[in-house]
Amino acid sequence: MLFRSRFDGDTSWKQVHFYQVANFDEAVFSSAADFERAEFQRETTGPLVPSVRFHKTHFCGRADFRSAKFIGNAEFIRTAFKGNARFDEAVFQAEGVFEGAVFDGTAGLVKTRFIGMAKFSQTKFHSEARLSDVEFQGGASFENAVFDGNATFRTAKFGGDTTFQGTRFRQDARFSESQFADTASFRAVRFDAGADFQSASFAKPADFQGCVFAGDTSFENAIFSESADFPFAKFKDRGSFSDARFLDRANFLQTQFRSRASFRNVRFKGPAEFSAIQSKAAFALAGAHFDQVPSFHDATFRDPPRLDNMTIDDPLAVIPAWSSRAPADPRPAMFRTIKTCGDPEYAGYYRRLRKLAAETQDNEREREFYAQELRCRRFWHDRPFGNGLTRFWIGWMPVLDRKSV
């Protein structure tokens, strides 16, 4: 059903049911357009058949689609919303496509449900974008989108693959208490103001590689169930991960912290990679707990972090967790009942921690890390009857074990 190209004055389609494809391509609504609680049925059952088309449509006034229902694909490709656009509590049962759309006024998608894929690639939000409590069941793409105003995704639910790759947030971006059930990509995103991910949960890998966080950033109480990648990211203002939980790998390779960074009371259950990070201000690790030995190789600090309240699980076991860098059990057959560590790099990790402790004149932790370095060298670098024989057997002396030297 093709509708005429121009609608002068306020237009009301409130509660109207469209039983054929509604085609509003390139139409111009000169004033308010009201589609509240309208229902758009699709004409056939084909998977790519839209129920409504608004390609290059111009809404010069308010556009109201609150509680509307879209049975087939809803296409708002390169649509221009000059006034406020309201899609609060609308339901998109198939794809919701807003690629290249421009929202000059406030974009309201509070409690909107996208059962199919939601596509907002290259969409521009020139004012506030309100997406609190929005639900994306079939995945969401915001690649290369631009948010000029505040963007609120508070308590949003992302059920499928989600990508914000290349997106720019020029004002505050709020993702507090949001839930990501599948992979989440924020690669190369620019956060020009604050970024709030407090209490957010990531059930699958979360990728923040190359992100720029220019304002105050918080991942406090966030949960990363699988890998969390922040390599080459830049935190230009305060960055806090206090009380966060990393249940798998945490990767901060070559990350820059130009202001205060806090990892207080963080739990790292998997490998923690802080190699070559650059810290230009205070770096807090008080209360942090590492299930595996963290790597700080080539890390630079303006003020070396205090390590007195940081804890690391004992890396030695009769049957350790072998890392991918362990080609085989290094112990000779007759020593297989003696504890060893599962990663040949752990000795070097402890050596770097020992140097950090020395820089803060923490003599107790320096001695402990030296003892652990010797213990982790056993079998990998020091052999009971070969290279490093002296260090190997000195490590068995009580005076050199664990916290005593």
Side-chain angles (χ1 to χ4, degrees):
M1 183 180 298
L2 179 64
F3 292 88
R4 68 179 187 269
S5 61
R6 185 175 182 86
F7 298 88
D8 294 317
D10 292 351
T11 305
S12 179
W13 306 83
K14 192 170 184 178
Q15 300 185 35
V16 171
H17 287 215
F18 297 85
Y19 293 101
Q20 295 179 328
V21 175
N23 189 334
F24 290 90
D25 287 353
E26 300 185 10
V28 176
F29 293 85
S30 62
S31 190
D34 188 355
F35 288 88
E36 184 179 357
R37 294 198 296 276
E39 185 168 316
F40 298 88
Q41 305 282 347
R42 58 182 174 183
E43 190 172 6
T44 70
T45 58
L48 300 179
V49 175
S51 60
V52 62
R53 292 167 55 100
F54 285 94
H55 294 204
K56 298 182 181 179
T57 304
H58 281 69
F59 292 92
C60 299
R62 174 178 54 85
D64 191 346
F65 288 87
R66 286 178 296 172
S67 300
K69 192 172 185 178
F70 302 89
I71 307 302
N73 293 347
E75 299 178 354
F76 291 83
I77 299 172
R78 297 176 67 181
T79 302
F81 297 93
K82 299 297 184 181
N84 295 339
R86 301 289 300 277
F87 289 85
D88 305 318
E89 300 186 14
V91 177
F92 294 81
Q93 293 192 358
E95 290 187 351
V97 186
F98 290 82
E99 293 174 334
V102 178
F103 293 86
D104 287 333
T106 298
L109 292 98
V110 176
K111 296 183 179 180
T112 304
R113 291 177 60 205
F114 291 88
I115 298 173
M117 183 72 180
K119 299 179 179 180
F120 287 85
S121 297
Q122 298 183 336
T123 302
K124 292 179 172 59
F125 299 87
H126 291 313
S127 189
E128 186 176 6
R130 301 173 181 172
L131 292 95
S132 296
D133 297 304
V134 66
E135 185 174 352
F136 299 100
Q137 294 183 16
S141 175
F142 287 84
E143 284 191 4
N144 299 307
V146 177
F147 293 85
D148 289 328
N150 292 334
T152 302
F153 290 84
R154 188 178 182 276
T155 64
K157 294 181 180 179
F158 297 86
D161 287 348
T162 300
T163 177
F164 283 83
Q165 184 169 330
T167 295
R168 185 161 192 173
F169 294 92
R170 289 197 166 97
Q171 298 297 326
D172 289 344
R174 304 184 181 105
F175 288 86
S176 57
E177 300 182 62
S178 54
Q179 300 175 30
F180 297 85
D182 214 318
T183 56
S185 176
F186 286 82
R187 181 173 293 204
V189 172
R190 289 185 60 89
F191 296 92
D192 293 339
D196 182 6
F197 287 86
Q198 289 191 58
S199 301
S201 61
F202 300 86
K204 296 293 181 180
D207 184 0
F208 289 85
Q209 179 174 329
C211 281
V212 176
F213 299 93
D216 189 61
T217 302
S218 176
F219 284 88
E220 294 178 358
N221 293 294
I223 299 175
F224 298 89
S225 297
E226 294 191 9
S227 59
D229 291 302
F230 290 83
F232 312 107
K234 296 179 181 179
F235 292 82
K236 296 184 177 181
D237 205 333
R238 186 185 74 95
S240 178
F241 289 83
S242 296
D243 299 294
R245 285 186 286 168
F246 295 88
L247 307 184
D248 203 326
R249 185 186 75 243
N251 182 9
F252 289 88
L253 176 69
Q254 295 189 40
T255 300
Q256 296 181 24
F257 297 94
R258 298 183 183 178
S259 187
R260 187 176 184 276
S262 176
F263 288 86
R264 293 180 181 273
N265 303 316
V266 174
R267 178 68 182 270
F268 296 91
K269 291 186 68 67
E273 178 68 76
F274 289 92
S275 295
I277 66 168
Q278 298 179 35
S279 173
K280 304 295 185 181
F283 192 92
L285 286 166
H289 181 84
F290 296 87
D291 286 20
Q292 300 181 32
V293 187
S295 173
F296 285 90
H297 273 317
D298 298 320
T300 58
F301 298 93
R302 192 195 72 176
D303 300 312
R306 292 183 59 86
L307 307 176
D308 49 346
N309 292 321
M310 183 189 78
T311 57
I312 306 172
D313 282 350
D314 189 355
L316 273 66
V318 174
I319 305 177
W322 302 107
S323 78
S324 59
R325 291 184 291 262
D329 191 333
R331 296 170 293 186
M334 63 182 297
F335 288 89
R336 292 292 170 88
T337 59
I338 297 177
K339 292 180 179 181
T340 189
C341 68
D343 192 321
E345 300 294 328
Y346 279 176
Y349 293 176
Y350 271 116
R351 183 163 56 253
R352 177 57 178 146
L353 289 171
R354 173 166 59 90
K355 292 179 180 179
L356 289 175
E359 291 176 15
T360 59
Q361 299 183 346
D362 187 345
N363 297 327
E364 181 180 355
R365 297 313 294 272
E366 182 183 2
R367 289 193 296 270
E368 177 187 349
F369 293 149
Y370 179 51
Q372 290 289 52
E373 178 187 345
L374 292 181
R375 296 175 80 225
C376 290
R377 288 184 61 88
R378 295 174 190 162
F379 300 111
W380 291 110
H381 309 283
D382 300 331
R383 302 286 182 171
F385 305 110
N387 292 333
L389 179 149
T390 301
R391 277 193 302 265
F392 182 93
W393 292 108
I394 286 178
W396 290 104
M397 297 173 60
V399 75
L400 284 179
D401 196 34
R402 297 279 328 252
K403 294 187 179 180
S404 299
V405 175

